[in-house]
Amino acid sequence: MAFGQTPQEASSSPGFDCWIGYDDKPYYTHYIRCIADRDIPPPPSPDKRSEALLESIHQELHGGTGASAEKMFKSNIEVVRESRAVWNIRIYSYPYEWSWKEGMPERLVRSALCPKEGSCPVLIRQH
């Protein structure tokens, strides 16, 4: 198991907690799945089921594993679809070790989800 996180700066820019997920047959596609960092206060949501799920995923990413976050994600897929609170970045295969060492997954998330004017903190939990 590995754990990667960019240094956090004091700013108002969004941050993201992410993990590597996958779709089974027939495509076997991998994704970097992200939720908004819940350590940065999110705007209130009227959907209590979605809030509870996002909080549970957040706790798994910070104290558990990416695999357990993925299991939670898949077992609550209807809530996820309704809330539209999980971003999926298709990567086709699990990142190689050299890619993790060079920070490629974090850079991909930043380029896809962070504001253009600055950087944002990104945490990616590996299996």
Side-chain angles (χ1 to χ4, degrees), residues 107-119:
R107 281 195 272 175
L108 179 59
V109 170
R110 272 194 221 93
S111 70
L113 300 179
C114 294
K116 299 234 184 281
E117 64 272 359
S119 181

Side-chain angles (χ1 to χ4, degrees), residues 1-6 18-21 30-33 66 91 93-109 122-127:
M1 173 184 1
F3 181 75
Q5 183 171 5
T6 60
C18 308
W19 71 97
I20 304 297
H30 283 79
Y31 296 88
I32 299 176
R33 301 193 201 275
I91 57 174
S93 65
Y94 193 84
Y96 294 109
E97 190 61 34
W98 63 265
S99 158
W100 288 109
K101 289 178 183 174
E102 292 182 11
M104 299 297 279
E106 291 89 351
R107 281 195 272 175
L108 179 59
V109 170
V122 173
L123 169 143
I124 300 181
R125 175 70 74 174
Q126 289 178 260
H127 291 284

Side-chain angles (χ1 to χ4, degrees), residues 23-72:
D23 284 345
D24 289 323
K25 295 177 186 175
Y27 303 111
Y28 299 101
T29 303
H30 283 79
Y31 296 88
I32 299 176
R33 301 193 201 275
C34 298
I35 62 172
D37 185 354
R38 303 197 49 90
D39 291 330
I40 299 171
S45 170
D47 184 356
K48 300 296 181 202
R49 292 181 321 151
S50 174
E51 283 299 307
L53 175 61
L54 293 175
E55 188 59 34
S56 296
I57 289 174
H58 173 77
Q59 294 301 322
E60 277 304 311
L61 292 173
H62 284 272
T65 67
S68 58
E70 179 70 1
K71 183 177 179 182
M72 192 176 299

